[in-house]
Amino acid sequence: MDQDRNGEQAGYHRPVLVDEVVELMAPVVPGVVVDATFGGGGHTRRMLDEFGDEVTVIAIDRDPEAVATATGLPVTVVQGNYGHLAEIISSQGSPEVSGVLFDFGVSSHQLDEADRGFSYRQEGPLDMRMGPDAEIDASVIVNEWPVGELTRVIREFGEEPLARRIAQAIVASRPIDSTATLSTVIAQAMPAARRRAGHPARRTFQAIRIAVNDELRSVDAGINQALDLVRPGGRVIAISYHSLEDRIVKRAFAERSAGCTCPPDLPVCGCGNTAQVRVLTRRPIRASSAEIEDNNRARSAALRAVEKVA
Ligand SMILES: C[S@@+](CC[C@H](N)C(=O)[O-])C[C@H]1O[C@@H](n2cnc3c(N)ncnc32)[C@H](O)[C@@H]1O
């Protein structure tokens, strides 16, 4: 595949906030950087271009199709779930880790391949598994889960106000055998006003995808293991695409950056807590309007970064 200066693999995925990632990673080089969400390797390729031999990349992705795009690159590739980051790094001989990058969510390739079942715009199977390690596919949730559980998932993971109504429509239409049918069932459950405001199935598809891949549990585990793993002075960078991911990152960074939690009137610290990290991004970094114009996916990206303190 061809690659442009932003590290884009032609037709696979266009990475976001690449300059910002390279700039934030520069101070930890030379060292080992873990790209925990390799995808088409856009961020990794750009780091290799910028840092050359000074950076050693361990690339992780749970999707075998993403792992295959690393062929020929001077990186160590591991097919696995970043929710098991500590185990993966230990399987690589426990090198000292200087930086970890997370670029959450799905790649454009996963969305564009109708056969993967992620797209509400195309006809495909109800799959949505990012990798073979996912325990269920979307069909199980759509066709087997009780209405209450379906409602909870659509409300919590899709932040969809019409969750109950959509869940009831799905249950009433079973069996549903394709993404296109599911998309139509959801659209028909919506009042006309909602059908005009963005694609009516977007939030529900996001919710089912998050549940299939148990995404939020992995985000929480991955971020916390990365914060434990990086060396003093090392950095953890996370790019989120919706508030559920960003909330987990923000909370983990805030907890680890909090020092003493004793009441201010206590003369001597009794809790013994000290800050483990320094937050480098008081507010999340957003893509410039030029990048958003060029790559619509950058619109919702929010980057946060921390540095481990000694
Ligand atoms: C937004 S894409 C990353 C794109 C990449 N930064 C690039 O420049 O091409 C997210 C990738 O993370 C992978 N992924 C999502 N959740 C994962 C997990 N828990 N463990 C490992 N990989 C995961 C997906 O399979 C997908 O390839």
Side-chain angles (χ1 to χ4, degrees):
M1 283 184 194
D2 292 337
Q3 178 197 337
D4 75 6
R5 131 158 240 291
N6 288 318
E8 183 186 352
Q9 279 271 288
Y12 196 96
H13 182 84
R14 183 153 218 183
V16 308
L17 296 168
V18 184
D19 289 337
E20 291 79 356
V21 166
V22 166
E23 197 178 313
L24 280 160
M25 242 3 148
V28 309
V29 172
V32 173
V33 170
V34 178
D35 182 345
T37 49
F38 182 74
H43 290 102
T44 285
R45 285 166 213 273
R46 206 26 214 292
M47 286 192 280
L48 291 169
D49 279 353
E50 294 287 330
F51 307 137
D53 293 347
E54 301 260 271
V55 69
T56 303
V57 176
I58 299 177
I60 302 171
D61 205 294
R62 67 195 290 189
D63 185 344
E65 290 179 13
V67 165
T69 70
T71 306
L73 278 186
V75 300
T76 301
V77 200
V78 181
Q79 187 187 320
N81 187 324
Y82 60 64
H84 305 297
L85 187 65
E87 220 174 280
I88 292 173
I89 298 306
S90 150
S91 76
Q92 298 306 307
S94 304
E96 182 182 71
V97 173
S98 293
V100 183
L101 168 68
F102 296 93
D103 180 20
F104 297 126
V106 272
S107 65
S108 307
H109 173 80
Q110 288 166 329
L111 282 174
D112 293 345
E113 289 285 296
D115 282 358
R116 301 292 302 266
F118 287 103
S119 173
Y120 44 75
R121 297 183 192 279
Q122 302 183 72
E123 172 80 28
L126 284 172
D127 190 331
M128 300 197 201
R129 285 169 302 160
M130 284 187 186
D133 62 312
E135 287 175 5
I136 52 168
D137 64 14
S139 174
V140 171
I141 295 176
V142 169
N143 288 308
E144 295 177 26
W145 281 18
V147 71
E149 193 58 2
L150 202 49
T151 304
R152 183 191 65 78
V153 161
I154 299 171
R155 182 175 296 134
E156 276 182 27
F157 299 162
E159 300 182 287
E160 170 58 72
L162 298 173
R164 180 142 198 100
R165 186 165 165 162
I166 294 169
Q168 283 168 335
I170 290 173
V171 170
S173 308
R174 286 172 172 170
I176 297 174
D177 64 357
S178 77
T179 48
T181 308
L182 177 61
S183 201
T184 305
V185 168
I186 297 166
Q188 285 172 350
M190 296 280 192
R194 258 302 295 279
R195 271 181 252 157
R196 287 190 293 272
H199 198 290
R202 188 181 64 78
R203 287 168 182 269
T204 302
F205 268 63
Q206 171 184 298
I208 296 171
R209 186 202 92 203
I210 290 174
V212 164
N213 295 289
D214 202 5
E215 287 180 41
L216 301 181
R217 198 197 306 262
S218 294
V219 169
D220 193 35
I223 279 286
N224 279 293
Q225 289 171 38
L227 293 169
D228 288 338
L229 267 174
V230 286
R231 65 164 169 81
R235 292 184 168 195
V236 177
I237 302 175
I239 306 174
S240 304
Y241 294 89
H242 53 75
S243 57
L244 302 167
E245 291 165 344
D246 189 50
R247 211 173 292 151
I248 295 172
V249 174
K250 188 177 168 188
R251 195 190 54 222
F253 286 4
E255 279 172 10
R256 304 280 188 131
S257 63
C260 168
T261 52
C262 293
D265 54 347
L266 209 67
V268 185
C269 168
C271 71
N273 293 337
T274 53
Q276 298 169 30
V277 300
R278 182 169 69 89
V279 174
L280 301 170
T281 47
R282 225 168 50 81
R283 290 176 190 286
I285 297 176
R286 302 270 178 192
S288 64
S289 41
E291 179 170 1
I292 294 171
E293 200 167 306
D294 210 33
N295 179 7
N296 190 43
R297 187 183 154 71
R299 188 178 26 91
S300 50
L303 182 156
R304 294 183 189 271
V306 289
E307 183 174 275
K308 190 93 166 257
V309 294

